[in-house]
Short mmCIF file of all heavy atoms in Angstrom, two decimals:
data_model
loop_
_atom_site.label_atom_id
_atom_site.label_comp_id
_atom_site.label_asym_id
_atom_site.label_seq_id
_atom_site.Cartn_x
_atom_site.Cartn_y
_atom_site.Cartn_z
N MET A 14 46.10 5.31 -33.03
CA MET A 14 46.84 6.13 -32.10
C MET A 14 47.22 7.45 -32.78
O MET A 14 47.39 7.52 -33.99
CB MET A 14 48.11 5.42 -31.65
CG MET A 14 47.90 4.12 -30.96
SD MET A 14 47.27 4.45 -29.34
CE MET A 14 47.19 2.82 -28.73
N VAL A 15 47.37 8.46 -31.98
CA VAL A 15 47.70 9.79 -32.50
C VAL A 15 49.09 9.81 -33.12
O VAL A 15 49.29 10.38 -34.19
CB VAL A 15 47.59 10.84 -31.38
CG1 VAL A 15 48.06 12.20 -31.86
CG2 VAL A 15 46.17 10.93 -30.88
N HIS A 16 50.05 9.15 -32.47
CA HIS A 16 51.41 9.16 -33.01
C HIS A 16 51.50 8.41 -34.33
O HIS A 16 52.33 8.74 -35.17
CB HIS A 16 52.42 8.62 -32.00
CG HIS A 16 52.22 7.18 -31.65
ND1 HIS A 16 51.29 6.77 -30.74
CD2 HIS A 16 52.84 6.07 -32.10
CE1 HIS A 16 51.35 5.46 -30.65
NE2 HIS A 16 52.27 5.00 -31.46
N ASP A 17 50.66 7.40 -34.53
CA ASP A 17 50.64 6.68 -35.81
C ASP A 17 50.23 7.62 -36.94
O ASP A 17 50.87 7.66 -37.99
CB ASP A 17 49.67 5.51 -35.76
CG ASP A 17 50.07 4.44 -34.77
OD1 ASP A 17 51.19 4.52 -34.23
OD2 ASP A 17 49.26 3.53 -34.54
N ALA A 18 49.16 8.36 -36.72
CA ALA A 18 48.68 9.30 -37.74
C ALA A 18 49.70 10.39 -37.99
O ALA A 18 49.92 10.80 -39.14
CB ALA A 18 47.35 9.90 -37.30
N ALA A 19 50.35 10.86 -36.94
CA ALA A 19 51.36 11.91 -37.11
C ALA A 19 52.55 11.41 -37.91
O ALA A 19 53.07 12.12 -38.78
CB ALA A 19 51.81 12.42 -35.74
N ALA A 20 53.00 10.19 -37.63
CA ALA A 20 54.14 9.65 -38.35
C ALA A 20 53.83 9.48 -39.84
O ALA A 20 54.65 9.82 -40.70
CB ALA A 20 54.55 8.31 -37.75
N ILE A 21 52.64 8.99 -40.14
CA ILE A 21 52.28 8.76 -41.54
C ILE A 21 52.05 10.08 -42.27
O ILE A 21 52.43 10.23 -43.42
CB ILE A 21 51.05 7.83 -41.62
CG1 ILE A 21 51.44 6.43 -41.14
CG2 ILE A 21 50.48 7.79 -43.02
CD1 ILE A 21 50.29 5.49 -40.95
N SER A 22 51.46 11.05 -41.60
CA SER A 22 51.19 12.32 -42.28
C SER A 22 52.46 13.14 -42.47
O SER A 22 52.53 13.96 -43.38
CB SER A 22 50.15 13.13 -41.50
OG SER A 22 50.64 13.49 -40.23
N TYR A 23 53.46 12.94 -41.64
CA TYR A 23 54.70 13.69 -41.76
C TYR A 23 55.69 13.04 -42.72
O TYR A 23 56.64 13.66 -43.17
CB TYR A 23 55.36 13.86 -40.38
CG TYR A 23 56.44 14.90 -40.35
CD1 TYR A 23 56.16 16.23 -40.61
CD2 TYR A 23 57.75 14.56 -40.07
CE1 TYR A 23 57.14 17.19 -40.60
CE2 TYR A 23 58.75 15.50 -40.05
CZ TYR A 23 58.45 16.82 -40.31
OH TYR A 23 59.43 17.77 -40.30
N LEU A 24 55.46 11.79 -43.07
CA LEU A 24 56.38 11.05 -43.94
C LEU A 24 56.66 11.74 -45.27
O LEU A 24 57.81 11.78 -45.70
CB LEU A 24 55.86 9.63 -44.17
CG LEU A 24 56.80 8.70 -44.93
CD1 LEU A 24 58.06 8.45 -44.13
CD2 LEU A 24 56.10 7.39 -45.25
N PRO A 25 55.67 12.33 -45.96
CA PRO A 25 55.97 12.99 -47.24
C PRO A 25 56.97 14.14 -47.12
O PRO A 25 57.64 14.49 -48.09
CB PRO A 25 54.60 13.50 -47.71
CG PRO A 25 53.62 12.61 -47.06
CD PRO A 25 54.23 12.26 -45.73
N GLU A 26 57.10 14.71 -45.92
CA GLU A 26 58.09 15.77 -45.71
C GLU A 26 59.50 15.21 -45.56
O GLU A 26 60.48 15.92 -45.76
CB GLU A 26 57.74 16.58 -44.45
CG GLU A 26 56.38 17.23 -44.50
CD GLU A 26 56.29 18.33 -45.54
OE1 GLU A 26 57.30 19.02 -45.75
OE2 GLU A 26 55.21 18.46 -46.14
N LEU A 27 59.59 13.92 -45.22
CA LEU A 27 60.89 13.32 -44.92
C LEU A 27 61.51 12.55 -46.08
O LEU A 27 62.73 12.47 -46.16
CB LEU A 27 60.75 12.36 -43.73
CG LEU A 27 60.31 13.00 -42.41
CD1 LEU A 27 60.08 11.92 -41.37
CD2 LEU A 27 61.35 13.99 -41.93
N VAL A 28 60.69 11.97 -46.94
CA VAL A 28 61.21 11.14 -48.02
C VAL A 28 60.76 11.67 -49.38
O VAL A 28 59.78 12.41 -49.49
CB VAL A 28 60.77 9.66 -47.88
CG1 VAL A 28 61.26 9.07 -46.58
CG2 VAL A 28 59.28 9.52 -47.98
N ASP A 29 61.49 11.29 -50.39
CA ASP A 29 61.15 11.65 -51.76
C ASP A 29 59.84 10.96 -52.15
O ASP A 29 59.51 9.88 -51.65
CB ASP A 29 62.29 11.21 -52.68
CG ASP A 29 62.10 11.71 -54.09
OD1 ASP A 29 61.84 12.92 -54.28
OD2 ASP A 29 62.24 10.89 -55.03
N ARG A 30 59.09 11.58 -53.03
CA ARG A 30 57.79 11.05 -53.45
C ARG A 30 57.91 9.63 -54.01
O ARG A 30 57.02 8.80 -53.81
CB ARG A 30 57.17 11.99 -54.49
CG ARG A 30 55.75 11.62 -54.86
CD ARG A 30 55.14 12.72 -55.74
NE ARG A 30 53.81 12.40 -56.15
CZ ARG A 30 52.72 12.66 -55.43
NH1 ARG A 30 52.84 13.23 -54.26
NH2 ARG A 30 51.53 12.33 -55.87
N SER A 31 58.99 9.33 -54.68
CA SER A 31 59.15 7.99 -55.25
C SER A 31 59.35 6.92 -54.17
O SER A 31 59.16 5.73 -54.43
CB SER A 31 60.34 7.97 -56.22
OG SER A 31 61.54 8.25 -55.53
N LEU A 32 59.72 7.31 -52.97
CA LEU A 32 59.95 6.36 -51.88
C LEU A 32 58.80 6.32 -50.88
O LEU A 32 58.89 5.65 -49.85
CB LEU A 32 61.24 6.73 -51.15
CG LEU A 32 62.51 6.70 -51.97
CD1 LEU A 32 63.68 7.24 -51.17
CD2 LEU A 32 62.79 5.30 -52.48
N LEU A 33 57.72 7.03 -51.16
CA LEU A 33 56.62 7.15 -50.21
C LEU A 33 55.94 5.81 -49.91
O LEU A 33 55.66 5.50 -48.75
CB LEU A 33 55.60 8.15 -50.74
CG LEU A 33 54.61 8.73 -49.75
CD1 LEU A 33 55.33 9.34 -48.57
CD2 LEU A 33 53.74 9.76 -50.43
N GLN A 34 55.70 5.00 -50.92
CA GLN A 34 55.05 3.71 -50.71
C GLN A 34 55.93 2.80 -49.85
O GLN A 34 55.45 2.16 -48.91
CB GLN A 34 54.74 3.04 -52.04
CG GLN A 34 54.01 1.72 -51.89
CD GLN A 34 53.67 1.09 -53.22
OE1 GLN A 34 54.04 1.60 -54.27
NE2 GLN A 34 52.97 -0.01 -53.18
N GLN A 35 57.20 2.76 -50.13
CA GLN A 35 58.13 1.95 -49.35
C GLN A 35 58.22 2.47 -47.90
O GLN A 35 58.25 1.69 -46.96
CB GLN A 35 59.51 1.96 -49.99
CG GLN A 35 60.52 1.08 -49.32
CD GLN A 35 61.87 1.13 -50.01
OE1 GLN A 35 62.11 1.96 -50.86
NE2 GLN A 35 62.75 0.23 -49.61
N GLY A 36 58.22 3.76 -47.74
CA GLY A 36 58.26 4.35 -46.40
C GLY A 36 57.02 4.01 -45.59
O GLY A 36 57.11 3.69 -44.41
N ASN A 37 55.85 4.09 -46.22
CA ASN A 37 54.60 3.72 -45.54
C ASN A 37 54.61 2.25 -45.12
O ASN A 37 54.16 1.91 -44.03
CB ASN A 37 53.39 4.01 -46.43
CG ASN A 37 52.98 5.46 -46.39
OD1 ASN A 37 53.09 6.10 -45.36
ND2 ASN A 37 52.51 5.96 -47.50
N ALA A 38 55.13 1.40 -45.98
CA ALA A 38 55.20 -0.03 -45.66
C ALA A 38 56.13 -0.27 -44.48
O ALA A 38 55.83 -1.07 -43.59
CB ALA A 38 55.68 -0.81 -46.88
N ARG A 39 57.24 0.43 -44.45
CA ARG A 39 58.18 0.25 -43.34
C ARG A 39 57.60 0.76 -42.02
O ARG A 39 57.79 0.14 -40.97
CB ARG A 39 59.49 0.95 -43.65
CG ARG A 39 60.29 0.20 -44.70
CD ARG A 39 61.63 0.83 -44.92
NE ARG A 39 62.35 0.05 -45.92
CZ ARG A 39 63.54 0.36 -46.37
NH1 ARG A 39 64.16 1.44 -45.92
NH2 ARG A 39 64.13 -0.39 -47.26
N ILE A 40 56.92 1.89 -42.07
CA ILE A 40 56.29 2.41 -40.84
C ILE A 40 55.25 1.42 -40.32
O ILE A 40 55.18 1.14 -39.13
CB ILE A 40 55.66 3.80 -41.09
CG1 ILE A 40 56.75 4.85 -41.20
CG2 ILE A 40 54.69 4.16 -39.97
CD1 ILE A 40 56.24 6.24 -41.49
N GLY A 41 54.44 0.88 -41.22
CA GLY A 41 53.45 -0.11 -40.81
C GLY A 41 54.08 -1.33 -40.18
O GLY A 41 53.61 -1.86 -39.17
N GLY A 42 55.18 -1.79 -40.76
CA GLY A 42 55.89 -2.95 -40.22
C GLY A 42 56.48 -2.68 -38.85
O GLY A 42 56.40 -3.51 -37.94
N VAL A 43 57.05 -1.50 -38.69
CA VAL A 43 57.64 -1.13 -37.40
C VAL A 43 56.56 -1.04 -36.32
O VAL A 43 56.75 -1.51 -35.19
CB VAL A 43 58.41 0.20 -37.52
CG1 VAL A 43 58.77 0.76 -36.16
CG2 VAL A 43 59.67 0.00 -38.34
N PHE A 44 55.42 -0.45 -36.65
CA PHE A 44 54.32 -0.36 -35.68
C PHE A 44 53.83 -1.75 -35.29
O PHE A 44 53.52 -2.01 -34.12
CB PHE A 44 53.17 0.47 -36.23
CG PHE A 44 53.44 1.95 -36.28
CD1 PHE A 44 52.70 2.76 -37.11
CD2 PHE A 44 54.42 2.54 -35.52
CE1 PHE A 44 52.92 4.13 -37.18
CE2 PHE A 44 54.66 3.91 -35.57
CZ PHE A 44 53.90 4.69 -36.41
N ALA A 45 53.74 -2.67 -36.25
CA ALA A 45 53.27 -4.02 -35.96
C ALA A 45 54.25 -4.76 -35.06
O ALA A 45 53.85 -5.41 -34.08
CB ALA A 45 53.06 -4.79 -37.26
N VAL A 46 55.53 -4.67 -35.35
CA VAL A 46 56.54 -5.34 -34.53
C VAL A 46 56.57 -4.74 -33.13
O VAL A 46 56.63 -5.46 -32.14
CB VAL A 46 57.93 -5.25 -35.21
CG1 VAL A 46 59.03 -5.70 -34.26
CG2 VAL A 46 57.96 -6.09 -36.47
N ALA A 47 56.51 -3.43 -33.05
CA ALA A 47 56.54 -2.77 -31.73
C ALA A 47 55.33 -3.17 -30.90
O ALA A 47 55.45 -3.40 -29.69
CB ALA A 47 56.61 -1.26 -31.90
N GLY A 48 54.17 -3.24 -31.51
CA GLY A 48 52.97 -3.62 -30.78
C GLY A 48 53.04 -5.05 -30.26
O GLY A 48 52.73 -5.31 -29.10
N ALA A 49 53.47 -5.97 -31.08
CA ALA A 49 53.57 -7.37 -30.66
C ALA A 49 54.67 -7.57 -29.64
O ALA A 49 54.49 -8.25 -28.63
CB ALA A 49 53.80 -8.26 -31.87
N THR A 50 55.80 -6.96 -29.87
CA THR A 50 56.93 -7.12 -28.96
C THR A 50 56.63 -6.49 -27.61
O THR A 50 56.95 -7.06 -26.57
CB THR A 50 58.20 -6.49 -29.57
OG1 THR A 50 58.43 -7.08 -30.85
CG2 THR A 50 59.41 -6.71 -28.70
N GLY A 51 56.03 -5.31 -27.63
CA GLY A 51 55.70 -4.64 -26.38
C GLY A 51 54.76 -5.46 -25.51
O GLY A 51 54.94 -5.55 -24.29
N ASN A 52 53.77 -6.07 -26.12
CA ASN A 52 52.83 -6.90 -25.36
C ASN A 52 53.53 -8.10 -24.74
O ASN A 52 53.30 -8.43 -23.57
CB ASN A 52 51.68 -7.37 -26.26
CG ASN A 52 50.78 -6.24 -26.67
OD1 ASN A 52 50.71 -5.22 -26.00
ND2 ASN A 52 50.08 -6.41 -27.77
N HIS A 53 54.39 -8.76 -25.50
CA HIS A 53 55.07 -9.96 -25.00
C HIS A 53 56.10 -9.59 -23.92
O HIS A 53 56.23 -10.31 -22.93
CB HIS A 53 55.73 -10.72 -26.14
CG HIS A 53 54.74 -11.35 -27.07
ND1 HIS A 53 53.83 -12.30 -26.67
CD2 HIS A 53 54.50 -11.16 -28.38
CE1 HIS A 53 53.08 -12.66 -27.69
NE2 HIS A 53 53.47 -11.99 -28.74
N LEU A 54 56.82 -8.50 -24.12
CA LEU A 54 57.79 -8.09 -23.10
C LEU A 54 57.10 -7.66 -21.81
O LEU A 54 57.60 -7.93 -20.72
CB LEU A 54 58.67 -6.97 -23.64
CG LEU A 54 59.70 -7.37 -24.69
CD1 LEU A 54 60.47 -6.15 -25.18
CD2 LEU A 54 60.65 -8.42 -24.16
N GLY A 55 55.95 -7.01 -21.94
CA GLY A 55 55.20 -6.63 -20.75
C GLY A 55 54.71 -7.85 -19.98
O GLY A 55 54.78 -7.89 -18.75
N ALA A 56 54.25 -8.85 -20.69
CA ALA A 56 53.79 -10.08 -20.03
C ALA A 56 54.96 -10.80 -19.37
O ALA A 56 54.84 -11.31 -18.24
CB ALA A 56 53.12 -11.00 -21.05
N ALA A 57 56.10 -10.84 -20.02
CA ALA A 57 57.28 -11.48 -19.44
C ALA A 57 57.74 -10.74 -18.19
O ALA A 57 58.10 -11.36 -17.18
CB ALA A 57 58.40 -11.55 -20.48
N LEU A 58 57.74 -9.43 -18.24
CA LEU A 58 58.14 -8.63 -17.08
C LEU A 58 57.19 -8.87 -15.90
O LEU A 58 57.63 -9.03 -14.76
CB LEU A 58 58.18 -7.15 -17.45
CG LEU A 58 58.61 -6.20 -16.35
CD1 LEU A 58 60.04 -6.49 -15.92
CD2 LEU A 58 58.49 -4.76 -16.82
#
């Protein structure tokens, strides 16, 4: 998705270089949870 690429490419502007790996991991986790939760909530609705 376009917003995924934008979030990851903009991350170095938001966090210190030493926190970049942790930030990338958190973004990936948030995208995974949002994708799974969105599908299940849509089916329930």
Side-chain angles (χ1 to χ4, degrees):
M14 300 287 182
V15 174
H16 65 279
D17 296 352
I21 292 170
S22 64
Y23 194 63
L24 187 65
E26 301 293 325
L27 298 174
V28 300
D29 188 49
R30 187 172 179 86
S31 63
L32 299 173
L33 198 54
Q34 182 178 4
Q35 184 180 11
N37 278 326
R39 287 185 179 178
I40 286 178
V43 167
F44 287 160
V46 169
T50 304
N52 291 337
H53 292 299
L54 288 178
L58 182 63

